[in-house]
Amino acid sequence: MYPANFDYVRPSSVDEAVALLQKHGDDAKVLAGGHSLIPAMKLRLAQPHVVIDIGRIATLSYIREAGGTIAIGATTTHSEVETSKLLREKCPLLSETASHIGDLQVRNKGTIGGSLVHADPASDYPAPILALEAEIDLVGPRGKRTVRADQFFVDLLQTAIAADEILTEVRVPVTSPSVAYIKTEQKASGFALAGVAVVASPSGVRVGVTGVAPKAYRATAVEQTIGNQRTAHAIELAAAHAADGVEPLGDIHASAQFRAHLARVNTRRALERALSR
Amino acid sequence: MTIPVRLRVNNAPRQHDIEPRVLLVHYLRDVCGLTGTHVGCETGICGACTVLVDGKAVKSCTVFAVQADGSEITTIEGLAANGVMHPVQQGFWECHGLQCGYCTPGMIMAAVHLLTKQKAPTRGQIASGLRGNLCRCTGYTHIIDAVSYAASHATEAAHV
Ligand SMILES: Cc1cc2nc3c(=O)[nH]c(=O)nc-3n(C[C@H](O)[C@H](O)[C@H](O)COP(=O)(O)OP(=O)(O)OC[C@H]3O[C@@H](n4cnc5c(N)ncnc54)[C@H](O)[C@@H]3O)c2cc1C
Ligand code: FES
Ligand code: FES
């Protein structure tokens, strides 16, 4: 399975990458870890004439703390997020989620920026990104702008990023350990059939759901129903609303009905786990 | 368009002009002649094509060779040193960790990386570490035995 031919460029800075995107327009694609783009190119679902490899831009790979938030560079791999001491201590939901992505080899190549921009409806990160109310930086010819997580995911494989922009950084808040990510995965690839991320605090909970609908979503009906109640009964009642108002996806891996069911079950389990931590 | 690529494969420097679309697995097999790295599914699922790039296990069917420019690659051919098998290879030998052998190079390379991260993994940790490697002969029990063997003999081997 060979992709079609293309020209390959390897910029050494974000500015250079943006200039290349501007120059080549729709003919170009950014390459990070390649673990979504290369499969699409092999199937010729994507046939860019120019591939812009941002994998060597040193300033895009980091995890650092700055004023109550943790900033993660776009090309930080899933393994780096999984094993980061800083994230494990201060934003454990993201490390926990990363440890559930694909397998060892996939986590060694895939990047957080690539995963978010690709916006596969079955990818894991969107659930915690929504529940954490993360911020995402996009840099383009018009400079830098910051997009909130709930504005970022637009539709199936579509996000708020413009064709001439690069995702440079994701910022997540420092949280308590009361968080959890629970997913039921498609057995071969590991992609989520239903993945639920919960961030709990004394004032309430935030719930992000991925894998179920064309785009990941905040389960606001669950959040409102549970409020600051913490009993098993309240959790049960709230979790029943996990797929309210969404049109679940159905495919060979799981029917729409089954995905909605998994969303409810995994929401209950994620609430139980987060609240017990 | 061809691109110059310089990298090291099993400690030997290599330099070739290749098309950017050439996948690392095809570069290793067809350009370098190292056919120990296998091609199974070509979709990133089976792990037969696993090699180490700068010490980390990756699926070489889902990496362009140009992405590995400047890297140090280790394939199954590069594991044994001076005719002495690597502890993971020894484990597969001692514990009958293979039947047809098709998945074996990928299993071994993934296990080598796993053991650099976890020195004394439990059976469960080995199974989840090798989640990205499928064995069509389904010899998973012996594969896990083999990696456990390697973990417990690795320190001895280091002194050989
Ligand atoms: C076998 C297999 C199993 C997998 N299992 C899972 C799983 O269980 N859960 C999961 O979430 N994912 C899974 N994935 C997907 C994996 O996590 C990908 O790595 C990820 O979705 C894409 O990241 P990447 O760095 O590889 O991006 P690439 O493939 O390089 O790029 C993906 C897209 O994003 C664009 N892009 C990348 N980076 C940027 C940037 N910084 N700015 C602008 N555009 C950018 C590219 O142009 C492309 O359109 C799996 C993949 C494989 C092959
Ligand atoms: S051939 Fe690469 S993962 Fe199957
Ligand atoms: S030994 Fe035959 S595929 Fe694993």
Side-chain angles (χ1 to χ4, degrees):
Chain A
M1 273 202 290
Y2 265 54
N5 255 324
F6 55 85
D7 288 343
Y8 174 85
V9 275
R10 189 190 292 150
S12 52
S13 71
V14 172
D15 288 348
E16 208 184 311
V18 169
L20 284 163
L21 273 177
Q22 240 187 322
K23 178 171 163 207
H24 296 289
D26 286 346
D27 279 347
K29 268 281 185 196
V30 167
L31 174 76
H35 270 43
S36 292
L37 185 59
I38 296 174
M41 287 174 69
K42 285 184 184 178
L43 297 170
R44 316 251 165 151
L45 295 172
Q47 285 201 35
H49 293 132
V50 181
V51 167
I52 303 169
D53 184 355
I54 61 166
R56 301 287 177 96
I57 301 179
T59 55
L60 280 181
S61 174
Y62 55 85
I63 302 176
R64 59 183 173 232
E65 191 174 5
T69 64
I70 298 167
I72 304 154
T75 59
T76 306
T77 63
H78 308 330
S79 327
E80 286 159 352
V81 171
E82 177 188 6
T83 55
S84 156
K85 207 167 160 277
L86 182 63
L87 284 170
R88 283 182 167 253
E89 273 169 25
K90 302 208 165 163
C91 188
L93 178 60
L94 214 58
S95 314
E96 181 180 354
T97 304
S99 74
H100 287 277
I101 298 177
D103 53 55
L104 183 72
Q105 295 94 317
V106 168
R107 294 196 292 275
N108 282 339
K109 279 310 280 182
T111 68
I112 189 165
S115 175
L116 294 175
V117 172
H118 189 62
D120 190 306
S123 60
D124 292 292
Y125 277 137
I129 289 297
L130 284 167
L132 289 163
E133 297 188 324
E135 288 183 335
I136 294 160
D137 283 350
L138 306 173
V139 173
R142 297 161 301 282
K144 176 155 91 177
R145 63 188 177 113
T146 298
V147 179
R148 283 180 10 219
D150 61 344
Q151 307 278 306
F152 184 74
F153 302 104
V154 174
D155 205 344
L156 187 94
L157 306 176
Q158 275 178 42
T159 70
I161 195 169
D164 55 5
E165 285 179 317
I166 305 269
L167 188 159
T168 53
E169 182 176 286
V170 180
R171 280 184 304 281
V172 291
V174 172
T175 69
S176 78
S178 298
V179 296
Y181 180 67
I182 303 260
K183 84 162 161 179
T184 306
E185 79 263 18
Q186 197 260 309
K187 288 295 173 203
S189 67
F191 273 110
L193 295 175
V196 180
V198 167
V199 177
S201 69
S203 55
V205 300
R206 294 196 301 267
V207 183
V209 181
T210 191
V212 176
K215 64 165 183 168
Y217 61 93
R218 276 277 289 277
T220 45
V222 176
E223 298 175 3
Q224 283 155 12
T225 310
I226 193 160
N228 55 12
Q229 305 170 82
R230 297 292 180 262
T231 63
H233 183 62
I235 290 174
E236 183 87 46
L237 287 181
H241 296 286
D244 283 10
V246 302
E247 264 184 60
L249 297 165
D251 58 24
I252 52 164
H253 304 303
S255 67
Q257 229 187 343
F258 186 44
R259 275 197 170 79
H261 173 72
L262 290 175
R264 291 187 285 266
V265 171
N266 288 342
T267 298
R268 176 172 55 73
R269 291 180 181 166
L271 285 169
E272 284 166 356
R273 184 171 296 176
L275 293 170
S276 70
R277 279 175 168 173
Chain B
M1 181 194 199
T2 59
I3 294 263
V5 171
R6 285 159 160 271
L7 34 70
R8 293 175 68 81
V9 183
N10 301 330
N11 285 323
R14 302 264 182 174
Q15 185 172 0
H16 296 103
D17 286 335
I18 55 169
E19 285 187 352
R21 66 168 168 169
V22 173
L23 296 163
L24 182 58
V25 68
H26 295 310
Y27 172 77
L28 292 170
R29 290 177 55 88
D30 303 341
V31 181
C32 301
L34 295 168
T35 53
T37 303
H38 290 169
V39 184
C41 65
E42 293 189 76
T43 60
I45 301 276
C46 77
C49 64
T50 301
V51 300
L52 305 185
V53 176
D54 294 327
K56 290 180 183 152
V58 303
K59 292 176 170 175
S60 62
C61 73
T62 310
V63 177
F64 291 124
V66 286
Q67 285 178 279
D69 187 21
S71 305
E72 175 77 52
I73 315 279
T74 311
T75 68
I76 189 74
E77 290 93 341
L79 273 192
N82 307 319
V84 180
M85 282 197 283
H86 184 281
V88 178
Q89 290 175 304
Q90 193 70 40
F92 274 71
W93 170 274
E94 296 295 338
C95 303
H96 199 65
L98 59 147
Q99 283 129 81
C100 79
Y102 201 88
C103 69
T104 312
M107 286 283 181
I108 290 179
M109 299 315 287
V112 168
H113 180 208
L114 182 67
L115 292 182
T116 63
K117 293 174 44 140
Q118 292 172 325
K119 302 283 177 219
T122 61
R123 294 184 73 82
Q125 285 170 328
I126 295 171
S128 57
L130 296 179
R131 178 183 199 295
N133 293 76
L134 302 180
C135 174
R136 208 176 168 187
C137 302
T138 69
Y140 294 105
T141 304
H142 287 195
I143 289 169
I144 294 171
D145 291 345
V147 180
S148 300
Y149 176 100
S152 51
H153 289 71
T155 20
E156 275 168 50
H159 298 290
V160 170

